């Protein structure tokens, strides 16, 4: 059973516009969330995180929003750039349990120049 | 910066071979992980380790084993490689409660 879901396998956005990547989770014990970016033939790199005590976290062009009641988080990239084209994974962890992240299936973002 | 090094970027092995994938991290992280990445399936956890000589099964351990004799090194072993183990393998390490640092990955092809 997939506890962390990214229902959009791919997304295309025009350069300069906003990219919104979504992630849903089912386990109410999850209280820490990460987003990773992955280029082909490279390992994932950490992008941004959010704790369940917050509903928003910003880092430059990247903002993560958390809606605990809906068990939903989203990553906003504004403005999108061609270099943002990559696969994005969300990951969730229950800090009260084993320190193990559960990853979503990923969304491939393509930013069109 | 933490560095996680995977010994090979690309490997081609024959069906039935025993395959070793090596991973070394240089920041004294207690936790180490092996994932495989397949299209449409995301990152799936194979095995992880919280300490030297300790290991726990992840979601898809069948056909794999691991070894952690030293804190910095976590090896993934394919006992008898099969074509359905063709994949991108990713090693990661972390301090407890923190995010993972991933290696660059090993693209394994089993023919």
């Amino acid at each position: 059973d997939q506890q962390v879901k990214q229902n959009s396998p791919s997304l295309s956005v025009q350069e300069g516009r906003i990219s919104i990547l979504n992630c849903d989770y089912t386990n109410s014990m999850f209280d820490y969330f990460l987003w990773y970016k992955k280029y082909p033939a490279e390992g994932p790199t950490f992008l941004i995180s959010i704790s369940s005590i917050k509903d928003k976290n910003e880092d430059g062009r990247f903002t993560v929003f958390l809606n605990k009641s809906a068990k939903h988080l989203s990553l906003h990239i504004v403005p999108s750039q061609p270099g943002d084209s990559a696969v994005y994974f969300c990951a969730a962890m229950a800090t009260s349990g084993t320190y193990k992240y559960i990853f979503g299936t990923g969304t491939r973002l393509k930013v069109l120049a | 910066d933490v560095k996680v090094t995977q010994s090979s970027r690309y490997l081609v092995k024959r069906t039935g071979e025993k395959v070793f994938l090596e991973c070394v991290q240089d920041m004294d992280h207690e936790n180490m992980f092996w994932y495989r990445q397949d299209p449409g399936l995301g990152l799936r956890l194979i095995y992880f380790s919280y300490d030297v000589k300790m290991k726990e099964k992840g979601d898809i351990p069948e056909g794999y084993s691991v070894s952690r004799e030293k804190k910095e090194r976590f090896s993934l072993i394919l006992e008898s490689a099969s074509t359905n183990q063709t994949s991108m393998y990713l090693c990661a390490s972390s301090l407890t409660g923190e995010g993972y640092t991933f290696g660059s990955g090993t693209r394994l092809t089993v023919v």
Side-chain angles (χ1 to χ4, degrees):
Chain A
D1 185 30
Q2 192 77 24
Q3 296 186 66
V4 179
K5 300 177 186 178
Q6 294 176 256
N7 291 317
S8 298
S10 64
L11 175 68
S12 290
V13 170
Q14 207 66 36
E15 181 179 7
R17 306 295 289 267
I18 184 171
S19 297
I20 301 176
L21 294 93
N22 294 304
C23 180
D24 297 294
Y25 60 96
T26 57
N27 189 339
S28 58
M29 298 300 292
F30 289 152
D31 56 0
Y32 201 77
F33 305 88
L34 306 176
W35 283 93
Y36 279 84
K37 178 168 77 172
K38 185 181 184 300
Y39 293 118
E42 293 184 16
T45 54
F46 170 75
L47 200 54
I48 194 168
S49 64
I50 190 166
S51 162
S52 62
I53 62 173
K54 290 185 163 185
D55 54 17
K56 178 182 174 182
N57 189 26
E58 280 183 86
D59 184 1
R61 296 186 297 114
F62 302 91
T63 303
V64 56
F65 295 91
L66 176 63
N67 182 334
K68 289 186 290 293
S69 60
K71 296 191 182 68
H72 177 83
L73 64 155
S74 60
L75 174 69
H76 292 210
I77 306 173
V78 183
S80 302
Q81 299 173 354
D84 296 328
S85 298
V87 177
Y88 290 78
F89 292 99
C90 65
M93 180 175 75
T95 56
S96 59
T98 58
Y99 285 101
K100 184 178 69 172
Y101 282 96
I102 307 298
F103 284 83
T105 51
T107 295
R108 183 178 299 279
L109 173 66
K110 190 170 184 180
V111 179
L112 307 168
Chain B
D1 278 354
V2 177
K3 196 166 181 184
V4 178
T5 303
Q6 293 184 231
S7 52
S8 304
R9 293 297 299 271
Y10 300 95
L11 273 180
V12 180
K13 297 292 181 180
R14 294 194 180 279
T15 302
E17 275 193 78
K18 191 168 186 176
V19 181
F20 293 86
L21 303 183
E22 305 288 346
C23 176
V24 177
Q25 50 94 5
D26 65 0
M27 281 298 288
D28 205 35
H29 284 177
E30 60 266 23
N31 307 313
M32 295 189 76
F33 307 84
W34 275 106
Y35 285 85
R36 62 178 281 179
Q37 182 200 359
D38 300 287
L41 298 176
L43 300 177
R44 294 183 292 166
L45 182 62
I46 304 170
Y47 268 97
F48 58 105
S49 168
Y50 291 137
D51 202 350
V52 176
K53 295 192 187 294
M54 295 189 69
K55 59 186 179 184
E56 291 197 34
K57 293 179 180 180
D59 300 318
I60 51 164
E62 296 78 20
Y64 303 94
S65 62
V66 289
S67 172
R68 195 162 180 205
E69 296 296 317
K70 293 184 178 182
K71 192 173 186 179
E72 67 270 19
R73 185 180 297 269
F74 192 36
S75 303
L76 179 70
I77 303 152
L78 285 65
E79 298 291 343
S80 176
S82 63
T83 54
N84 64 12
Q85 292 178 310
T86 292
S87 187
M88 167 71 93
Y89 289 87
L90 294 160
C91 175
S93 73
S94 76
L95 291 171
T96 297
E98 298 193 359
Y100 297 172
T101 299
F102 282 90
S104 298
T106 296
R107 171 72 66 184
L108 173 67
T109 302
V110 182
V111 297

